[in-house]
Amino acid sequence: MVRNIIIIGSGPAGLTAAIYASRAYLKPLVIEGPQPGGQLTITTDVENYPGFPDGIMGPQLIMDMKRQAERLGTEFVMGNVTSVNLSKRPFVISVEENDKRYEAMALIIASGASARLLDLESEKKLMGKGVSACATCDGFFFKEQDVMVVGGGDTALEEAIFLTRFAKKVTVIHRRDKLRATKILQDKAFKNEKIDFIWNSVVEDILGVEEEKVTGIRLRNVKTSQTIEKSCDGVFIAIGHSPNTKLFKGQIELDDKGYIITMNGTKTSVPGVFAAGDVQDHLYKQAVTAAGTGCMAAIDAERFLEGI
Ligand code: NAP
């Protein structure tokens, strides 16, 4: 069976594309991916998505979007896409978990982005043993403990603020002396008595490999080159995200950071393939912009299908 549209990814971009494609009677199939619902499922309060004057929890927002897409006729399959063939239409998308190949005349890629890590040997060895990239997933395990958060963006401050619910003390390590995060989050973090900052510092190593649990962190001041060791029980890495585009390398044009290049809306270098959300956006990366480009991708795909 050749479908009209397959959507890879089930964050706000993929789900909005699904809502629009369903309302155009295109019966889209969404392949949910390794993190169904995407990054909103690992956040807490979302205060900047329009329509929710009192804010909404990220997982709730995603559940509502999914229910809306389902009600309108979207089909969902769980599973990871393992390969795609975009060399001719119909495009072929293989999904490992259910050992299936799906075919479609148009494809919307909304595979999002994943948390970046520091690339230290100790970080790999201590992942899940005190090192984490998700405070909402793991914060609970750090009750009354000392934790570090690495990064200076919105994610780092959101994680730091969230961790104060559990931890005794939260220290944010940032490589500059100015935060990248939005002012409202900066204000909240500066006002929080449990949060401290260490500026101009990078993580040289995470300590505790022999003990098989995090015992501390070694930092280097980038201005003075001085190194210090600080004891702690947990290290949360919040240094940004990389686009999930490995599957598409060599088949569609990517920029030098690996993001899908889109033109004239959401078109990619392959006719019939469209991209939406964080997989093609290194600038805004917001839930609302992801949803907006998801809507654009569905409209672009619908027009493409009308023309073939
Ligand atoms: P980000 O804005 O790219 O910030 C990454 C932070 O990590 C920066 O402060 C950066 O330092 C630091 N960093 C990067 N590589 C590093 C390394 N190797 N070692 C040490 N530090 C490193 O990423 P993000 O905070 O994940 O946010 C991504 C996007 O999502 C943003 O557009 C943000 O607005 C959005 N977001 C929004 C919300 C919200 O609105 N509620 C919540 C979360 C995320 P420099 O500052 O020196 O570059």
Side-chain angles (χ1 to χ4, degrees):
M1 167 189 174
V2 178
R3 291 163 191 273
N4 297 312
I5 298 190
I6 287 182
I7 298 165
I8 300 178
S10 53
L15 293 176
T16 306
I19 289 166
Y20 273 77
S22 296
R23 280 179 46 85
Y25 294 132
L26 292 170
K27 296 189 182 319
L29 172 77
V30 172
I31 302 171
E32 294 200 55
Q35 190 180 351
Q39 292 175 53
L40 276 185
T41 60
I42 55 166
T43 58
T44 49
D45 299 293
V46 177
E47 290 190 327
N48 49 11
Y49 199 93
F52 301 95
D54 303 317
I56 181 167
M57 298 300 275
Q60 185 63 48
L61 181 57
I62 279 294
M63 276 195 304
D64 290 347
M65 285 185 193
K66 184 173 178 188
R67 203 158 56 81
Q68 190 174 354
E70 268 171 339
R71 183 177 69 77
L72 294 166
T74 303
E75 194 186 329
F76 285 85
V77 288
M78 298 281 279
N80 292 341
V81 176
T82 47
S83 66
V84 293
N85 184 347
L86 308 181
S87 62
K88 58 178 182 348
R89 285 194 300 272
F91 304 121
V92 179
I93 292 101
S94 302
V95 176
E96 194 177 56
E97 278 80 350
N98 53 16
D99 247 341
K100 272 214 164 147
R101 280 156 51 96
Y102 297 94
E103 293 184 336
M105 295 308 284
L107 176 69
I108 295 176
I109 301 173
S111 50
S114 299
R116 279 173 42 204
L117 296 173
L118 293 165
D119 219 11
L120 297 169
E121 206 46 45
S122 51
E123 174 189 51
K124 274 189 211 115
K125 291 191 170 138
L126 292 167
M127 186 56 70
K129 296 171 181 161
V131 175
S132 170
C134 175
T136 44
C137 318
D138 300 325
F140 182 77
F141 302 113
F142 294 88
K143 269 190 182 155
E144 288 306 308
Q145 299 188 350
D146 280 352
V147 297
M148 306 277 176
V149 175
V150 186
D154 283 340
T155 306
L157 293 200
E158 264 195 353
E159 302 235 316
I161 293 162
F162 178 75
L163 285 165
T164 58
R165 294 188 194 181
F166 312 102
K168 188 166 65 193
K169 191 174 145 215
V170 179
T171 308
V172 176
I173 317 285
H174 185 35
R175 64 183 178 182
R176 292 187 294 140
D177 61 0
K178 276 198 185 64
L179 295 167
R180 183 178 291 279
T182 41
K183 291 282 176 273
I184 189 164
L185 281 173
Q186 293 196 26
D187 286 348
K188 276 188 188 172
F190 289 141
K191 272 188 205 140
N192 193 312
E193 283 179 359
K194 280 188 175 179
I195 299 179
D196 274 346
F197 288 84
I198 297 181
W199 304 104
N200 298 313
S201 296
V202 290
V203 179
E204 268 206 345
D205 207 6
I206 300 171
L207 312 175
V209 172
E210 272 181 21
E211 295 86 343
E212 293 190 6
K213 67 172 172 59
V214 168
T215 57
I217 197 164
R218 186 161 67 246
L219 303 174
R220 180 170 51 83
N221 184 304
V222 292
K223 294 243 156 107
T224 63
S225 293
Q226 195 185 8
T227 57
I228 52 163
E229 287 187 5
K230 291 258 174 199
S231 60
C232 64
D233 307 291
V235 180
F236 287 82
I237 316 291
I239 59 167
H241 295 83
S242 303
N244 297 322
T245 49
K246 218 163 73 190
L247 283 171
F248 314 108
K249 217 174 174 181
Q251 301 202 57
I252 49 180
E253 262 182 56
L254 307 178
D255 71 9
D256 55 354
K257 287 185 178 143
Y259 289 87
I260 294 176
I261 298 173
T262 49
M263 52 214 125
N264 299 327
T266 62
K267 293 191 184 88
T268 70
S269 57
V270 178
V273 179
F274 306 88
D278 285 8
V279 76
Q280 53 84 55
D281 170 17
H282 54 83
L283 206 56
Y284 303 105
K285 301 186 217 171
Q286 307 298 307
V288 69
T289 51
T293 53
C295 157
M296 289 160 63
I299 293 173
D300 289 344
E302 186 186 350
R303 288 185 183 154
F304 169 81
L305 290 169
E306 276 167 7
I308 55 172

